[in-house]
Amino acid sequence: MSVLLELAGLTRRYAGLVAVDSVDLAVAPGTIHAIIGPNGAGKTTLFNLISGLVTPSEGQISFLGHSITAAPTFRRAALGMGRTFQNIRIFGGMTVLENVLTGLAPSFKGGIGAVVAGLPALRRAERAAIARALDVLDLVGLRAQSDAPAASLPYGDQRRLEIARALASSPRLVLLDEPAAGMNPAETAALALLVRKIRGSGTTVLLVEHDMSFVMDLSDRVTVLNFGRRIFEGSPAEVRREPRVIEAYLGPKVAARLAVVAQ
Amino acid sequence: MPPWLDDFFWTYQNLVYALGVNGLLALSIYVVLAVGQLSLGQAAFMGLGAYSSAIMTLKFKLPFLLVLPASCIVPVAFALLIGGPTLRLSGVYLAIATIGLGEVLRAVYLNIDWFGGALGLSGIPERAGIGSIYGLLAAALAVLWIIGRSHIGRAMEAMRTDETAAEVMGINVPRYRLGALLASAVLAGLAGALSAHVSSFIGPNEYGFEPAVTILSFALLGGIGTPIAPVLGAWILTLLPELLRGLADFRLVFNGVIIVIAVLFLPNGILPFRLRRHGRP
């Protein structure tokens, strides 16, 4: 399969505003694909469309070859799509381990009857889930804190916990919404390592990020949005040279002056 | 039974029954609050259970062993009926819609002779007792306790904390909401049937707004961290009026003050502990 996630003409209109304007996007499996753009470019709305929290006004989304345009959010998760949020949304009252186990919800098939009967299959599923959750906590470096209340973790650890929760069910695609926001340079460097490990484990990464050096170092492919439209897509090196991208960030006047200086 | 216990039971029989029935009602509100839904239809479901079971006993002469499980059918049917349209509501809107159900049903009981009108239904034989009431309460507690520690308990707490995040985790939020509402209807329906068959009389005004709020206060006082917490809240609020007999008319004021204090200073209830929500590794 050459395309894991494909958006075709995806549009979301709000009263008087087109937040996402006929965006086409193809995310190749095994890549780190970044979406960048100035504030208000529609990046988070695009993420919400992909994960099903916002319904598109027009256009199609397909994932793993299936159309998921009308699929509810929980089904997209069960198909193999994880995500994190720009503002951290961990389950604060739960322990670290329970948070990650919640990310494994689709791996449990039994209902109330199976739980009350204490079916062996369900017990095995619970044991396997705990083993998997501890592995993921190892990956993000939080295993030692697995029994701590999630709300007691420092900010950077909460971000990593959210990533662990999104990775728990070994999704095919994970959406990271500004994972480096609020991190210091050391934490950002560790995060870059983690994102590479995620790609190495076979999970494709689609990320929104404002930290340009982070994006440019890490990404295989970069899509640039401005005012809801895709204005450019290419490798990080191509994005750096592209006048339309510079113009989107710095405005036409500065961009023109920079072009003169460059010549 | 030793004579002193016999005396005690004779004197406090109704209180002992009320403690068990209110325990079931506390679990009925617990299951909806545990998924983050402020649904206040418990008194209405209780009324449906009470009326449908009393009619099955009085008019169709059915045995109690059949009446008791069947008393869940009508509340569950109503829960399914209102489930579709109301579960898209949240917070205070859902609360108002479900209180509305109670008020509509009250008007129906009042105005239809078959339901006894304002006089209610009387002469219901005493078929329930300590065994059936506390047996069901213990069973319900055990089931909810086991569920609370499973992946279902995790999903419920996740929904209560952050519904969007829960859905992104792959939790079928609408299904859990409906499931909680149905479980709530079953528990309240059973409580209604049991109370009807120990009190010999039921009336249309017993299942309106005031009991709906009283049931909510069980969980507010006790908390919802574990299933036992709201039951303890129910027991305290059921016993208090008896212990405070000396205060006469000020009893309700005292009750209210206790709830206000609990909400202000004990936001997680008097039993704030939570269940560990996973099995052994």
Side-chain angles (χ1 to χ4, degrees):
Chain A
M1 193 193 338
S2 57
V3 181
L4 181 73
L5 174 78
E6 189 168 19
L7 313 182
L10 202 63
T11 300
R12 172 65 206 201
R13 288 188 206 92
Y14 292 101
L17 171 82
V18 187
V20 172
D21 192 353
S22 51
V23 167
D24 297 320
L25 180 74
V27 178
T31 59
I32 297 173
H33 193 134
I35 296 174
I36 63 169
N39 284 324
K43 305 181 295 290
T44 294
T45 306
L46 190 70
F47 262 28
N48 287 342
L49 285 163
I50 295 169
S51 54
L53 299 176
V54 169
T55 48
S57 311
E58 268 167 46
Q60 298 292 322
I61 310 171
S62 67
F63 179 53
L64 293 162
H66 308 284
S67 169
I68 56 161
T69 313
T73 297
F74 71 86
R75 194 152 297 139
R76 297 178 198 212
L79 275 175
M81 187 190 289
R83 82 165 278 184
T84 66
F85 294 90
Q86 189 178 339
N87 47 334
I88 300 173
R89 299 179 85 157
I90 53 169
F91 305 120
M94 294 189 188
T95 66
V96 168
L97 176 64
E98 286 163 357
N99 263 276
V100 181
L101 284 172
T102 306
L104 282 157
S107 67
F108 289 90
K109 301 297 175 214
I112 293 172
V115 170
V116 175
L119 291 186
L122 201 62
R123 289 182 183 203
R124 275 198 300 278
E126 179 83 3
R127 269 200 300 276
I130 291 171
R132 167 68 189 158
L134 290 173
D135 280 351
V136 180
L137 285 172
D138 250 344
L139 178 75
V140 302
L142 285 176
R143 186 172 180 148
Q145 285 97 306
S146 60
D147 285 326
S152 73
L153 295 183
Y155 178 85
D157 287 354
Q158 292 194 5
R159 280 225 170 266
R160 286 192 290 161
L161 172 58
E162 214 191 2
I163 294 173
R165 190 181 64 176
L167 291 175
S169 58
S170 314
R172 299 293 300 274
L173 172 71
V174 66
L175 315 176
L176 305 179
D177 197 348
E178 297 200 23
M183 285 190 168
N184 64 37
E187 286 171 328
T188 307
L191 178 69
L193 266 178
L194 175 60
V195 173
R196 284 205 177 88
K197 271 197 239 169
I198 295 170
R199 179 184 56 186
S201 73
T203 296
T204 305
V205 179
L206 182 62
L207 61 91
V208 160
E209 186 48 66
H210 278 298
D211 184 331
M212 281 306 141
S213 64
F214 179 84
V215 168
M216 294 302 172
D217 284 353
L218 201 60
S219 307
D220 302 307
R221 196 128 188 106
V222 180
T223 298
V224 188
L225 295 184
N226 195 24
F227 296 115
R229 309 189 82 118
R230 187 180 82 166
I231 57 168
F232 188 74
E233 185 181 313
S235 68
E238 289 165 340
V239 168
R240 265 202 210 98
R241 287 195 301 268
E242 175 59 37
R244 277 174 293 172
V245 177
I246 299 166
E247 197 181 308
Y249 273 91
L250 301 175
K253 276 187 192 161
V254 180
R257 220 169 287 162
L258 276 178
V260 171
V261 171
Q263 279 167 10
Chain B
M1 206 184 281
W4 64 267
L5 194 59
D6 204 32
D7 276 357
F8 175 86
F9 186 66
W10 184 250
T11 316
Y12 290 106
Q13 194 180 17
N14 286 333
L15 184 62
V16 173
Y17 292 152
L19 286 171
V21 168
N22 287 344
L24 279 169
L25 291 171
L27 292 178
S28 168
I29 186 91
Y30 161 84
V31 291
V32 285
L33 291 177
V35 298
Q37 295 282 100
L38 188 56
S39 159
L40 298 182
Q42 286 68 37
F45 293 141
M46 182 195 188
L48 288 167
Y51 267 92
S52 64
S53 67
I55 286 169
M56 282 186 271
T57 299
L58 290 174
K59 308 212 167 167
F60 299 107
K61 314 281 181 211
L62 294 177
F64 190 60
L65 219 59
L66 199 69
V67 169
L68 189 60
S71 66
C72 302
I73 294 172
V74 180
V76 162
F78 270 78
L80 282 172
L81 200 72
I82 65 161
T86 59
L87 286 183
R88 268 177 235 135
L89 303 175
S90 58
V92 71
Y93 300 103
L94 180 62
I96 290 169
T98 45
I99 286 173
L101 174 71
E103 290 303 306
V104 168
L105 288 171
R106 194 169 72 93
V108 170
Y109 302 142
L110 262 175
N111 292 302
I112 294 182
D113 286 343
W114 208 60
F115 296 121
L119 295 175
L121 295 169
S122 51
I124 306 164
E126 193 176 321
R127 299 260 168 89
I130 301 271
S132 50
I133 292 175
Y134 283 89
L136 279 173
L137 177 61
L141 260 175
V143 166
L144 291 176
W145 196 277
I146 293 167
I147 287 173
R149 297 186 50 157
S150 72
H151 67 281
I152 301 178
R154 289 197 289 270
M156 290 167 75
E157 181 167 351
M159 278 176 68
R160 180 168 87 229
T161 314
D162 186 333
E163 231 172 60
T164 303
E167 206 156 3
V168 167
M169 295 303 109
I171 293 164
N172 189 339
V173 169
R175 204 178 81 180
Y176 271 89
R177 278 187 186 175
L178 186 62
L181 188 68
L182 294 178
S184 179
V186 166
L187 289 165
L190 288 173
L194 290 167
S195 77
H197 288 82
V198 291
S199 64
S200 90
F201 161 82
I202 56 172
N205 294 323
E206 291 170 40
Y207 312 107
F209 178 65
E210 210 183 298
V213 173
T214 306
I215 295 168
L216 176 65
S217 67
F218 297 160
L220 285 182
L221 180 64
I224 51 169
T226 56
I228 192 76
V231 175
L232 187 69
W235 286 350
I236 291 172
L237 288 178
T238 311
L239 280 174
L240 263 185
E242 302 302 322
L243 301 176
L244 300 175
R245 260 186 199 291
L247 290 177
D249 286 348
F250 289 98
R251 280 189 301 182
L252 276 179
V253 176
F254 199 83
N255 243 3
V257 168
I258 285 191
I259 293 168
V260 169
I261 290 174
V263 169
L264 285 179
F265 298 106
L266 302 165
N268 296 317
I270 49 173
L271 269 185
F273 315 103
R274 59 184 290 278
L275 289 179
R276 190 187 65 166
R277 300 205 192 278
H278 60 83
R280 304 213 168 277

